[in-house]
Amino acid sequence: ILNVEQSPQSLHVQEGDSTNFTCSFPSSNFYALHWYRWETAKSPEALFVMTLNGDEKKKGRISATLNTKEGYSYLYIKGSQPEDSATYLCGGSGGSNYKLTFGKGTLLTVNP
Amino acid sequence: SQTIHQWPATLVQPVGSPLSLECTVEGTSNPNLYWYRQAAGRGLQLLFYSVGIGQISSEVPQNLSASRPQDRQFILSSKKLLLSDSGFYLCAWSTETQYFGPGTRLLVL
């Protein structure tokens, strides 16, 4: 089972600020890295799946990078908006059965 | 398109009572299915996963069990609930990405 760590645990930013957070995982036995956005009282929403070292994915103002050699992924949000407020979950899988081990998440609060 | 259903949405149960949470998936066949739990103050923990009918893998020892009686049905059960079983339970199915259901909030009193 992968040990997935996320930092920071929580983050408060002002509307318009750009921000980023980290997901780290063991670089050995790695298969794929998933990012999810989880709003209160809703189910987690898939953002990105990345498998290759150097992968970069983008969805609107949100982007992510992957470094499998050193075992980390960054999630970036450009020009944060209040509706970006959510918990951002990172999950790693060590095999093709798509079984994920999640970090504890980063709780982002964007103040208007 | 694929959809995933969970019910009930909220459940309050006394300690020692049985539990049955149901999850069904539409629009896909032979999916991998998962049960997760988020306990208060903790991350999302994988409880069970299934790659086919009758095939269940348990990830952590606990007071719960899972069954998959049909291809697109996944059931989470307990014979006697404990206070520590309280939490938010999520069912998911996957291809390359995991897609989550709406969740069940369980409070054991």
Side-chain angles (χ1 to χ4, degrees):
Chain A
I1 299 176
L2 292 180
N3 183 28
V4 178
E5 303 282 345
Q6 289 188 250
S7 63
Q9 188 174 359
S10 65
L11 191 56
H12 289 253
V13 301
Q14 290 299 124
E15 183 175 355
D17 287 351
S18 293
T19 187
N20 66 84
F21 14 96
T22 306
C23 173
S24 60
F25 52 88
S27 54
S28 60
N29 196 32
F30 168 84
Y31 186 81
L33 193 288
H34 300 239
W35 280 102
Y36 287 84
R37 180 173 176 274
W38 193 3
E39 290 183 70
T40 303
K42 295 185 178 180
S43 54
E45 172 196 352
L47 292 175
F48 306 113
V49 180
M50 295 181 288
T51 56
L52 299 176
N53 184 47
D55 261 355
E56 290 188 34
K57 295 275 179 92
K58 188 175 181 182
K59 187 175 183 179
R61 293 179 291 99
I62 305 177
S63 60
T65 60
L66 179 66
N67 183 323
T68 60
K69 292 184 179 179
E70 297 182 36
Y72 65 83
S73 174
Y74 293 139
L75 188 80
Y76 301 91
I77 302 179
K78 184 178 179 182
S80 302
Q81 299 297 309
E83 57 265 30
D84 295 329
S85 297
T87 295
Y88 289 82
L89 280 178
C90 162
S93 67
S96 59
N97 61 11
Y98 310 121
K99 188 174 62 170
L100 294 178
T101 300
F102 284 96
K104 292 185 178 180
T106 293
L107 175 60
L108 173 67
T109 304
V110 182
N111 300 310
Chain B
S1 64
Q2 300 87 3
T3 55
I4 179 168
H5 305 277
Q6 279 186 251
W7 64 92
T10 307
L11 194 57
V12 181
Q13 292 284 103
V15 168
S17 64
L19 173 74
S20 181
L21 302 182
E22 191 158 343
C23 170
T24 58
V25 182
E26 296 176 358
T28 186
S29 58
N30 198 30
N32 286 357
L33 296 173
Y34 309 83
W35 277 111
Y36 290 89
R37 175 175 64 198
Q38 185 191 36
R42 303 189 66 178
L44 201 56
Q45 181 185 37
L46 178 64
L47 302 176
F48 300 97
Y49 77 97
S50 171
V51 298
I53 295 174
Q55 299 178 64
I56 310 294
S57 295
S58 175
E59 289 300 297
V60 293
Q62 59 204 315
N63 184 43
L64 302 168
S65 62
S67 62
R68 185 169 177 177
Q70 299 180 47
D71 182 43
R72 288 169 287 177
Q73 184 185 30
F74 205 20
I75 298 172
L76 184 71
S77 305
S78 174
K79 292 182 179 177
K80 289 186 178 181
L81 283 168
L82 306 172
L83 287 174
S84 57
D85 292 324
S86 293
F88 189 59
Y89 289 82
L90 282 166
C91 179
W93 73 276
S94 74
T95 53
E96 186 178 297
T97 291
Q98 286 194 16
Y99 300 94
F100 289 89
T104 294
R105 190 161 299 282
L106 172 65
L107 180 59
V108 182
L109 300 175

